[in-house]
Amino acid sequence: DQQVKQNSPSLSVQEGRISILNCDYTNSMFDYFLWYKKYPAEGPTFLISISSIKDKNEDGRFTVFLNKSAKHLSLHIVPSQPGDSAVYFCAAGAYNTDKLIFGTGTRLQVFP
Amino acid sequence: NAGVMQNPRHLVRRRGQEARLRCSPMKGHSHVYWYRQLPEEGLKFMVYLQKENIIDESGMPKERFSAEFPKEGPSILRIQQVVRGDSAAYFCASSPPGGSVEAFFGQGTRLTVV
């Protein structure tokens, strides 16, 4: 039972353009969502989070949008930079469990 | 403030041997989580521990796997009688008490069973 899904395994974007990474979930009981970035041979690094009571959170070039009715969230990176090339995981959690449920990841490649 | 420290970074074991993976959480963090990433898959939750207590082990295989987080020292994930299917990257994360939603991850231990 995959509660958090990232249906695009890869995405290729030109430098300077917008990158949009998508994530869908099935459990309406999640309280918060996070995006992590992962380089090869390293652990995931936290990027940005959003509470289920909000629909948008912004931090510099990164913005996360949450559509609760559609059970969908997206991460926008603008402008995209070559250093953004990595695997991006979305994750969801609930306050009563403290564990994160991860999607399978989307590999983003930003080319010059 | 050192981050989450995992060792070893790489571990090779023959089938049937035991693997011990260590995780030292960030200073001040009392919650530890173990995740496993199989090739071409996302991170799968295994177990959530606080000092001397297993809070949630719903993601742990029923046999051969165990975890502990003693009062002193690092958290240990122990895999007995390893099989080829145990080959994966094992990540540890920690968070402080009191409800921070953000978990900080270590660099992982890549276990290879030959």
Side-chain angles (χ1 to χ4, degrees):
Chain A
D1 177 25
Q2 189 69 26
Q3 296 187 63
V4 178
K5 300 178 184 178
Q6 292 177 258
N7 292 319
S8 298
S10 63
L11 176 66
S12 189
V13 172
Q14 188 173 30
E15 181 178 6
R17 302 273 194 161
I18 185 170
S19 295
I20 301 177
L21 297 99
N22 295 303
C23 180
D24 297 293
Y25 61 95
T26 57
N27 187 346
S28 59
M29 302 302 292
F30 288 132
D31 294 310
Y32 54 87
F33 304 88
L34 308 94
W35 284 94
Y36 282 84
K37 176 181 179 179
K38 186 180 180 303
Y39 293 117
E42 292 188 14
T45 303
F46 170 77
L47 267 179
I48 191 168
S49 64
I50 188 167
S51 164
S52 63
I53 63 173
K54 295 190 173 182
D55 55 17
K56 178 182 175 181
N57 189 24
E58 189 172 356
D59 184 3
R61 295 186 298 115
F62 302 91
T63 303
V64 56
F65 295 91
L66 175 62
N67 182 335
K68 286 191 69 176
S69 60
K71 295 191 177 66
H72 176 84
L73 67 154
S74 60
L75 175 68
H76 292 211
I77 307 173
V78 55
S80 301
Q81 300 173 353
D84 296 329
S85 298
V87 178
Y88 289 79
F89 292 97
C90 72
Y95 293 127
N96 65 344
T97 66
D98 274 333
K99 67 184 180 188
L100 295 175
I101 309 296
F102 281 83
T104 51
T106 296
R107 183 177 301 278
L108 173 65
Q109 182 178 5
V110 180
F111 59 92
Chain B
N1 186 13
V4 178
M5 304 299 292
Q6 289 188 250
N7 68 82
R9 291 291 309 277
H10 300 275
L11 182 61
V12 178
R13 285 288 177 264
R14 292 181 184 274
R15 280 178 294 172
Q17 290 185 315
E18 177 180 287
R20 282 186 180 233
L21 290 66
R22 295 174 187 78
C23 169
S24 296
M26 288 181 68
K27 187 176 181 181
H29 286 193
S30 57
H31 298 199
V32 166
Y33 312 81
W34 285 94
Y35 289 83
R36 175 167 66 173
Q37 185 180 22
L38 295 169
E40 306 303 323
E41 292 188 17
L43 287 83
K44 301 285 189 186
F45 169 80
M46 297 182 74
V47 62
Y48 162 40
L49 310 103
Q50 296 178 14
K51 285 283 187 181
E52 299 184 282
N53 284 307
I54 296 175
I55 307 303
D56 182 346
E57 56 181 348
S58 58
M60 287 277 272
K62 294 288 185 282
E63 297 178 347
R64 303 187 296 107
F65 285 71
S66 62
E68 62 176 8
F69 189 15
K71 187 176 180 181
E72 301 290 338
S75 174
I76 306 287
L77 178 67
R78 182 182 177 206
I79 311 171
Q80 295 178 290
Q81 299 175 318
V82 296
V83 300
R84 289 248 170 92
D86 297 331
S87 297
Y90 292 82
F91 292 96
C92 168
S94 73
S95 66
S100 169
V101 302
E102 176 188 342
F104 294 84
F105 280 82
Q107 292 189 300
T109 294
R110 181 161 298 278
L111 171 66
T112 302
V113 179
V114 297

